[in-house]
Amino acid sequence: MGAGPLVLLPELAPAAGAVLGLLLGSWLPRGRQWVVRLVGVAACLAGVGATLASLDGVAHRAFEGSYAVDTATQAGRLIVLGGTLLVLLLSGDTVRSHPRETEFYALVLLGGAGTVVLAGTTDLLLLVAGYLLASVPLYALAGFSADAPGTEASLKYYLLGALLGITMIAGVTMLYGAGRSTEYAALARSLPAAPSALVAVGGVTVLAGLLFKIGAVPAHFWVPDVAEGASAPVAAFVTTVPKIGGLIATFRLAEGVLPAETASWPLLFAVLATASMTLGNLAALFQDEVRRLLAYSTISQVGYLLLAVVVAASSELAEPALLFYLLAYAVTNLGAFAVVAGFPHARRLAEYRGLARRRPTAAAVLVVCLLGLVGTPPTAVFLGKLEVFSAAVDGGYAWLAVVAVVNTVISLFYYLRWLVPVLAPAAAEDEPCPAGRWAAFVAVFAALLSLLVGGGGGVLLPLLDGPLLP
Amino acid sequence: MLSLIVFLPLVVAALLAVIPVSAGSRVFTAGWVCATATDVVLVLISWTGYEAGTGLALEQRVRWIPGAGVSYHVGVDGLSLPLLGLTAGLFLACAVYSLRGTHRTKGFVLLFLFLQTVCLGVFTALDLILFFVYFDLSIVGMYFVISGWGYGNSRGSALKFFLYTFLGSLALLLGFIGLYLAVEPHTFDIVDIARSDPLSGGGALGAPVLAAIGLGLLIKTPTFPFHTWMPPAHTDAPAVGSVILAGVLLKMGTYGFVRIAMPLLPGTWSRYAWVFVVLGVVSVLYGALVALAQEDFKRMVAYTSVNHMGYVVLAVGAAGLAAGGQEQARSLAVTGAVTQMVSHGLLTGALFLLAGVLHSRGGSHHMKDYSGLAAFAPVFAGAVAVTAFASLGIPGFSGFIAEFQILTGGLATATVATALALPGILITAALLLRALHRVCLGEPRVPDPPGSARGFTDLRANESLAILPLLGVALLLGVLPRLLLGVIEPAAVELVGVFG
């Protein structure tokens, strides 16, 4: 089932865009570097177009079987490239005429390309490659502004990422030793017979890297620091896009590779999911800083997303649920971050006081996105939650669905804590600085998309239901 | 037709949204009244076109999310039509009552039009997810009403309201998912699930599913011990917000019993019906006793709602108690329950509007601040008196018909429990008469709110137009109950039929 390199156009497009952009950027004068952004946008659009053109429902393989182009990969490509596109647009206000503007776009594109690779890989070595490609550009992005908080964030991000990356490589070695292969299909056959202690340790250490990538407990420490220290577009990117590839990769491992004989993997994921949503929510409860609040909210969202991973092998509803939730989450989270990026000087909840009066559109976007993150119908995340809850109950994890429901109620607290000042009457003196145009555009677009995806779930869900290639 | 009724307010809201605030509040209130009045006319047309006993009418089914077994399925029958009418009527009353303007009128009007769409939607939905979507959005809308236009500690009350009822709605969602997974092929369609009765044996899944759905509905109703969100929400909400909260939103809980819990889980329901009977009786007595101790007029009305809704829960529980050969008594109880929903909506709506009048004149809801209002405001005092008597269940008003049927039906199936609930009526009578006595009779006295002239203006034209028709309808239904019962009874007979 091998196919030509054309199958990988959606992966090649952002990478090529990054290279082309870098070359172009070194010739362009500083005032014209927005052309590079145009190149990046074009690369993302080309990738999306190539994906749409290849949506024939036939699963392909590439790289000698180490890369699968199936429904999950296709969905991952669309969500990642779409998300990258939104971040590129969103960054227009912040990095415009920055001395290193070109580098910013190139790094974002490379991070996007790495994330897509993570989503499609069916080989442990490619998984490591994808991990590195999706991590290294982000370390640089976190410290892009080169100020004290950015540097600290970047350092923390890098140290944790490097540590868990090495752990992951060690895990890959162990699994290779146990299963005599790095290909998922071969591992699925050989691992059940391998020494179970080795497989268990290897599996857990490989997962450690992926947990870092998706920002799940216990590898979540970087999330709030990066979200607070880096610039808003970077925060939007790192809390949204890598999760897409990371969760799909985790799902592939849970669905077909990690053998049930070794350990109760679903139970492990269930514990991780519970810990992520609970700790994320509890930590977010009393945050006063909007980006930290959103960061903890993304940790809790990963918990809900992991519900689908828990029942990856036991429920047929799990895969479409995960993919749909990822799409819904990406759109909604980017919308919320776009509002934050639009008001870069309003860092605390209190500074959003009276937003509904002064900027009704931005306030409406916040209401849609925050209630969307709660899972209020008819937004997209509601349908995503409905799907993952259904999958969890269907897969025999009803208690986990109850835990998720209780957590959803807790999460209401802090989302409403933000909405209360937004809707409160404004104090006369504090006029916030004007909102960025690009950020405003992306915010409105994302909010509308969130409602549209929620209402049009009927069209999307069947498309997301295709078998995973082993 | 149903979609038109449901979405008309939302369309009007979208049209009004593009008009700038500077156009003046008149434009918005006028548009609001027109929209609600049109909706009332449309509901009346569908009511007259509905032939009692023919099951679901005006059905419409469109594919929505087929992958998840969700469709846009709407329709009405004898159980939902009365509530549809009640909702449309109460929203019209609210619009008329608000004609003199509130602050920030545009947002208020848009919010209420949105609320009307989701409230009407709940009573037309024949798909669990569609029901849930409307159910949840009603909470969101009401949250903004209370937190944006309430008094006192409205933020806190709104948050409490939101958290409680949202928890309830999520429990409901879990129950729905249980039903969805139990039926083959998986679907959320209420009619399909009722037909296949997937959990007929009760089964291991039946009890947790009913527990989840029951919890969600009991919180929304609200029933003791899940009622604690309600008194603060009512106290701090604006008057028309309280009307919708008590008149419509509470009915979503009780309506859920007759639309979802009973027909979709008949076996499990009859096994655990005693739980609901007990909770109903406790709510009746507890609500009445606590209401007796209230000093705040609105709080008192709120607690009488716990009492009145307790009768409904008692009735639906009694109807489920397994006892062959008492079908007539059980259908009587269900008919009484639905009648009580309508009656309570009308009368409590009127009471809350009267409380709003009280607050707009004196700036307070405390009964000890007022005395002898009958001397200043005879129409107001008369309206309070009539509403109080109607609410305590005097013959001639709809409340009597409802309570009579509930108690007669309940005595046959759940004798002891119903007998225990009877004193609730007496306590309610006592507390309502005491409130009437304290506020309207005796030495004339009103509080002196800062910035307003001393004196208590009688009901204004728009206030009378909003309140008196509600009482008129309650009187009409009390004198000519067939108008309502003719629609409800066949549906109730059909509903208790599932219990064999």
Side-chain angles (χ1 to χ4, degrees), chain A residues 357 371 374 376-378 382-383 386-387 389-390 393-394 401-402 405 408-409 412-413 416 420 423 425 455 457-458 461, chain B residues 64-68 104 129 132-133 136-137 140 143-144 155 159 162-163 166-167 170-171 173-174 177 180-181 188:
Chain A
R357 283 310 196 55
L371 288 181
V374 177
T376 313
F382 160 67
L383 200 54
L386 175 67
E387 290 293 299
F389 289 178
S390 298
V393 176
D394 187 41
V402 174
V405 161
T408 303
V409 175
L412 255 182
F413 256 114
L416 287 180
V420 165
L423 299 171
L461 271 172
Chain B
W64 184 22
I65 315 175
R104 293 189 279 152
I129 292 303
F132 179 80
V133 167
D136 230 22
L137 285 179
V140 175
Y143 169 77
F144 287 125
R155 299 265 155 69
L159 185 63
F162 200 118
L163 289 175
F166 199 76
L167 176 69
L170 287 171
L173 182 63
L174 274 185
I177 290 176
Y180 165 76
L181 293 170
F188 281 108

Side-chain angles (χ1 to χ4, degrees), chain A residues 215-458:
Chain A
V217 172
H220 65 285
F221 295 105
W222 60 273
V223 183
D225 292 309
V226 174
E228 189 186 9
S231 68
V234 176
F237 189 75
V238 297
T239 56
T240 312
V241 174
K243 285 189 176 53
I244 302 160
L247 274 159
I248 296 178
T250 316
F251 188 86
R252 283 184 197 279
L253 286 172
E255 196 252 358
V257 182
L258 300 172
E261 291 85 351
T262 329
S264 180
W265 298 103
L267 189 63
L268 173 70
F269 284 117
V271 170
L272 290 173
T274 308
S276 275
M277 46 194 172
T278 313
L279 290 182
N281 277 330
L282 292 183
L285 272 186
F286 297 107
Q287 284 301 330
D288 228 11
E289 227 272 358
V290 286
R291 289 198 210 156
R292 284 188 87 85
L293 186 144
L294 275 181
Y296 282 114
S297 116
T298 73
I299 295 173
S300 73
Q301 294 286 332
V302 168
Y304 306 128
L305 281 159
L306 281 172
L307 251 65
V309 177
V310 173
V311 292
S314 54
S315 171
E316 286 179 4
L317 302 172
E319 192 201 342
L322 175 75
L323 298 177
F324 188 85
Y325 199 138
L326 277 174
L327 169 65
Y329 164 75
V331 168
T332 315
N333 200 45
L334 284 175
F337 266 107
V339 175
V340 172
F343 303 103
H345 296 280
R347 303 295 298 258
R348 313 225 147 251
L349 292 182
E351 289 168 55
Y352 278 80
R353 195 173 166 78
L355 192 70
R357 283 310 196 55
R358 287 188 299 249
R359 303 219 170 263
T361 321
V365 169
L366 260 189
V367 169
V368 169
C369 288
L370 294 184
L371 288 181
L373 287 173
V374 177
T376 313
T379 56
V381 175
F382 160 67
L383 200 54
K385 275 197 174 166
L386 175 67
E387 290 293 299
V388 292
F389 289 178
S390 298
V393 176
D394 187 41
Y397 279 83
W399 65 267
L400 197 56
V402 174
V403 171
V405 161
V406 172
N407 264 291
T408 303
V409 175
I410 300 175
S411 74
L412 255 182
F413 256 114
Y414 56 86
Y415 293 122
L416 287 180
R417 269 188 72 224
W418 192 354
L419 285 182
V420 165
V422 165
L423 299 171
E429 66 275 15
D430 48 22
E431 187 74 23
C433 47
R437 273 189 308 140
W438 283 106
F441 167 74
V442 171
V444 172
F445 180 75
L448 289 179
L449 200 60
S450 163
L451 292 174
L452 200 68
V453 171

Side-chain angles (χ1 to χ4, degrees), chain B residues 276-289 306-315 318 340 392 403-404 406-411 414-429:
Chain B
F276 296 92
V277 170
V278 170
L279 287 176
V281 173
V282 174
S283 292
V284 165
L285 294 174
Y286 178 86
L289 285 172
V306 176
N307 163 277
H308 281 117
M309 291 287 99
Y311 287 116
V312 178
V313 176
L314 168 65
Q340 172 75 329
L392 63 83
E403 285 174 15
F404 172 74
I406 290 174
L407 295 175
T408 316
L411 273 174
T415 316
V416 179
T418 312
L420 282 174
L422 272 172
I425 296 184
L426 192 67
I427 305 172
T428 324

Side-chain angles (χ1 to χ4, degrees), chain B residues 118-335:
Chain B
V118 298
C119 290
L120 292 168
V122 167
F123 299 121
T124 58
L126 289 179
D127 183 280
L128 292 175
I129 292 303
L130 193 61
F131 180 91
F132 179 80
V133 167
Y134 288 133
F135 193 89
D136 230 22
L137 285 179
S138 75
I139 303 174
V140 175
M142 188 47 76
Y143 169 77
F144 287 125
V145 168
I146 299 176
S147 75
W149 283 269
Y151 323 107
N153 180 25
S154 59
R155 299 265 155 69
S157 304
L159 185 63
K160 192 171 181 185
F161 158 76
F162 200 118
L163 289 175
Y164 262 88
T165 47
F166 199 76
L167 176 69
S169 79
L170 287 171
L172 205 58
L173 182 63
L174 274 185
F176 289 174
I177 290 176
L179 279 172
Y180 165 76
L181 293 170
V183 66
E184 285 291 341
H186 295 338
T187 177
F188 281 108
D189 195 87
I190 292 178
V191 179
D192 289 349
I193 298 178
R195 197 177 299 131
S196 66
D197 189 9
L199 300 169
S200 50
L205 197 55
V209 166
L210 180 64
I213 293 179
L215 177 68
L217 297 176
L218 287 173
I219 290 179
K220 186 88 174 184
T221 299
T223 311
F224 178 88
F226 311 111
H227 65 284
T228 48
W229 61 267
M230 195 179 82
H234 270 314
T235 314
D236 296 338
V240 286
S242 298
V243 172
I244 297 307
L245 185 57
V248 182
L249 264 61
L250 303 193
K251 305 303 174 300
M252 294 179 182
T254 48
Y255 174 73
F257 285 116
V258 294
R259 170 62 66 212
I260 294 168
M262 294 171 75
L264 302 193
L265 293 155
T268 323
W269 179 269
S270 47
R271 184 174 308 168
Y272 295 102
W274 60 270
V275 176
F276 296 92
V277 170
V278 170
L279 287 176
V281 173
V282 174
S283 292
V284 165
L285 294 174
Y286 178 86
L289 285 172
V290 180
L292 188 62
Q294 296 306 315
E295 282 295 318
D296 183 310
F297 188 75
K298 256 183 130 178
R299 258 183 119 78
M300 180 197 80
V301 179
Y303 275 108
T304 62
S305 293
V306 176
N307 163 277
H308 281 117
M309 291 287 99
Y311 287 116
V312 178
V313 176
L314 168 65
V316 292
L321 282 180
Q326 292 180 319
E327 224 162 272
Q328 201 194 351
R330 284 190 273 159
S331 72
L332 198 60
V334 172
T335 312

Side-chain angles (χ1 to χ4, degrees), chain B residues 54-111:
Chain B
T54 51
L56 289 166
L58 301 172
E59 256 187 290
Q60 190 185 1
R61 192 168 180 177
V62 184
R63 288 157 59 86
W64 184 22
I65 315 175
V70 181
S71 60
Y72 177 81
H73 190 179
V74 294
V76 284
D77 64 1
L79 300 176
S80 48
L81 205 47
L83 291 167
L84 210 58
L86 172 73
T87 308
L90 283 179
F91 272 99
L92 175 61
C94 289
V96 173
Y97 180 86
S98 310
L99 262 182
R100 285 179 65 92
T102 46
H103 57 300
R104 293 189 279 152
T105 313
K106 181 180 176 182
F108 194 67
V109 169
L110 297 187
L111 198 53

